[in-house]
Amino acid sequence: VTEHGDVLFEIDLSSDAPLYLQIAAGVRGAVLAGNLVAGQRLPAGRELADGLGVNLETVQRAYRLLVDEGLLVSRVGRGTRVIDDVDTDALALRRQISDLVDRAAELGIDSTRLATMVRNFPASPS
Amino acid sequence: VRHGVRSGHGGWRHGGWRYLVVAAVLPLVVMGAIPAALTLTDRSDGLDGDPGEWTAVVSMVVVIGGWVVTAIAVVGAVTHRFPLERPRYGRLPLALAGASLSGAVAANVAIVDLGLLIAIVAFWSALGGIAGWYAAAAMLGPAGLPTSDAPAPRDAARHHLDAGATAVWIGQVPPSPVLTWLGPVLVPAAVAWVLAPEVVSWAFMATWSAIWIGSYALSRRRMRVVIGRSGMRILGGAHRWERRAIPLEHIVSASCTTLNRWWWANPWRHRGTHRLTIATRSGPAMLVELTDGSEVVVSLSDPSDAVGVLNSLLDNRAAAMGIERS
């Protein structure tokens, strides 16, 4: 998202990652980078879907996921926007957890085992 | 970048001429305000409800108040507190300057005839200046005229898209500055109508109001451009109706360009049948060449990303089809 409000989204159609998760990750990344700011309106679902050549439901599913996470708010007639009091620290932590889960999956470690590893991870001295 | 305005460009090239407009209005306001105030002060019969005197009081308040606010706006602009380059700041002092000028005019219509003369001269001078500029631009071409009033777009490196990746770019066509200016033009007319109804008729006000409401509606109806796998779509209107859809296979290439004032003002060379032009103002724009030899030109605040994405999508499509793109 530029200072003029122009939006650029990119997804990898050949990736194993579901498209809606890629779109959601793109929005999270834009918020983390400060390119999408509190209260800013996201592109209409149909515009994004048509441009990316994906189903409208895919974009709506990504937006719903982010609404459920508390990052976006969607209101009839006002479109979908970033919430006013967005917590970028929590968002950054969520992204790190996501990266950790992905890396664990690459190493053949399932989520249960990963959770156990995290739980047993020695606390920092502080 | 400071306050969202690119630095490193001269004030004149980047909206500095508005300073001159405001500066030119100030003396007129002073010339109108002083006689109005003096004339009112000379009256010794007080305020007895005579509508003419109340008009004079209101006129004086508008004139002096408008003058003070305009002076503050000019000082703010010069000290960069209110950068006039930004529309939200540019409109306000101009509207106030216009309002205070017309207040002076209205006051002097009732009190001093000289004010009316000044207003008429100022109005026709401004109108003649604008018309003369565009006439000169149309006749002389770009030689000797400013090439642009906006910075050239940065280089549009092709946005790298891996095979299998796709992207969408969504942007807005910036509003026309002409529409931005029509609002401030209405303000003087409205003030003059209130203060001097004997000079400004209902028909005049109704006409200006219709023009302003229409232009406001148009300025709110900003067009959007969507560039994606299917090509380029231009949407407009409250419900974002599709104005034009150009499939990717009909596009040869895209590039950044800068529309200078001559380009923007010349309706013959660049608005021909082989060119779709959505040029709302001079400055950065995207030029898209189509396979049938025609072109599409769209004003964009920063066309670099749009051009980069479109060329990358064309690259990927050509690679998928085994075609080499130049």
Side-chain angles (χ1 to χ4, degrees):
Chain A
V1 182
T2 68
E3 62 180 295
H4 307 293
D6 303 336
V7 177
L8 172 60
F9 262 94
E10 187 177 330
I11 58 172
D12 187 354
L13 299 172
S14 61
S15 168
D16 292 334
L19 296 176
Y20 81 97
L21 289 182
Q22 291 189 45
I23 295 170
V27 174
R28 283 194 211 98
V31 174
L32 265 178
N35 292 329
L36 267 176
V37 297
Q40 191 163 345
R41 188 173 180 170
L42 272 76
R46 186 168 296 284
E47 279 181 1
L48 199 56
D50 287 347
L52 289 171
V54 301
N55 198 300
L56 175 61
E57 172 58 21
T58 302
V59 176
Q60 289 177 334
R61 192 175 176 190
Y63 281 6
R64 277 200 302 271
L65 175 68
L66 296 170
V67 168
D68 292 343
E69 286 180 11
L71 181 62
L72 303 181
V73 60
S74 187
R75 288 186 188 142
V76 176
R78 293 196 60 201
T80 305
R81 296 170 185 271
V82 179
I83 60 167
D84 289 332
D85 51 348
V86 57
D87 185 350
T88 51
D89 289 337
L91 198 61
L93 183 61
R94 187 183 182 87
R95 175 180 254 195
Q96 289 171 333
I97 293 171
S98 174
D99 291 344
L100 181 64
V101 170
D102 290 346
R103 180 67 182 137
E106 287 172 10
L107 298 173
I109 300 170
D110 62 23
S111 57
T112 307
R113 192 174 153 208
L114 178 65
T116 304
M117 290 170 71
V118 171
R119 201 177 303 116
N120 296 333
F121 194 78
S124 65
S126 60
Chain B
V1 177
R2 183 176 179 275
H3 295 297
V5 178
R6 290 167 195 256
S7 58
H9 295 274
W12 175 261
R13 285 170 60 86
H14 205 78
W17 53 278
R18 295 185 188 181
Y19 292 64
L20 293 182
V21 174
V22 177
V25 166
L26 269 178
L28 296 173
V29 175
V30 175
M31 288 168 69
I34 291 174
L38 290 176
T39 306
L40 191 70
T41 307
D42 286 344
R43 295 192 173 189
S44 56
D45 50 351
L47 301 174
D48 58 2
D50 180 352
E53 292 186 5
W54 279 108
T55 300
V57 171
V58 173
S59 301
M60 191 180 74
V61 169
V62 169
V63 168
I64 296 175
W67 181 79
V68 170
V69 175
T70 304
I72 292 171
V74 171
V75 171
V78 171
T79 58
H80 298 289
R81 297 282 298 179
F82 312 127
L84 289 186
E85 297 86 354
R86 299 182 72 181
R88 78 169 61 168
Y89 294 112
R91 290 176 205 167
L92 180 65
L94 290 169
L96 290 172
S100 54
L101 172 61
S102 58
V105 172
N108 285 293
V109 165
I111 301 169
V112 182
D113 289 341
L114 181 63
L116 182 60
L117 180 64
I118 293 171
I120 291 170
V121 170
F123 175 76
W124 286 109
S125 298
L127 200 64
I130 295 169
W133 201 100
Y134 280 103
M139 287 190 296
L140 300 176
L145 293 171
T147 54
S148 171
D149 67 347
R154 58 191 166 85
D155 292 336
R158 286 190 178 176
H159 185 89
H160 178 71
L161 281 178
D162 293 330
T166 189
V168 59
W169 181 91
I170 302 171
Q172 287 192 328
V173 178
S176 167
V178 174
L179 301 179
T180 303
W181 277 79
L182 283 178
V185 168
L186 180 70
V187 174
V191 174
W193 175 62
V194 170
L195 298 179
E198 68 274 20
V199 174
V200 182
S201 68
W202 276 97
F204 179 83
M205 268 312 295
T207 304
W208 266 117
S209 299
I211 292 172
W212 182 76
I213 291 169
S215 65
Y216 181 77
L218 283 171
S219 67
R220 295 289 297 172
R221 199 190 59 177
R222 293 177 67 173
M223 283 189 280
R224 290 169 73 83
V225 179
V226 179
I227 294 169
R229 284 174 73 192
S230 57
M232 184 168 85
R233 298 167 66 222
I234 298 168
L235 313 170
H239 299 286
R240 292 177 182 165
W241 293 311
E242 188 171 275
R243 299 300 184 86
R244 183 82 181 259
I246 303 166
L248 205 57
E249 56 266 30
H250 291 181
I251 298 174
V252 175
S253 66
S255 58
C256 292
T257 187
T258 301
L259 306 181
N260 60 33
R261 291 186 173 204
W262 176 79
W263 202 111
W264 189 77
N266 188 329
W268 297 283
R269 179 173 174 182
H270 295 291
R271 287 185 169 86
T273 52
H274 294 296
R275 188 189 289 261
L276 169 67
T277 303
I278 303 175
T280 52
R281 62 182 184 184
S282 57
M286 177 173 66
L287 174 65
V288 180
E289 294 179 44
L290 306 184
T291 51
D292 63 359
S294 60
E295 294 175 334
V296 177
V297 180
V298 184
S299 289
L300 293 173
S301 298
D302 184 355
S304 308
D305 286 332
V307 167
V309 167
L310 188 49
N311 282 325
S312 300
L313 289 167
L314 290 168
D315 285 343
N316 279 15
R317 180 176 177 277
M321 297 178 67
I323 305 169
E324 190 171 338
R325 262 190 94 226
S326 56

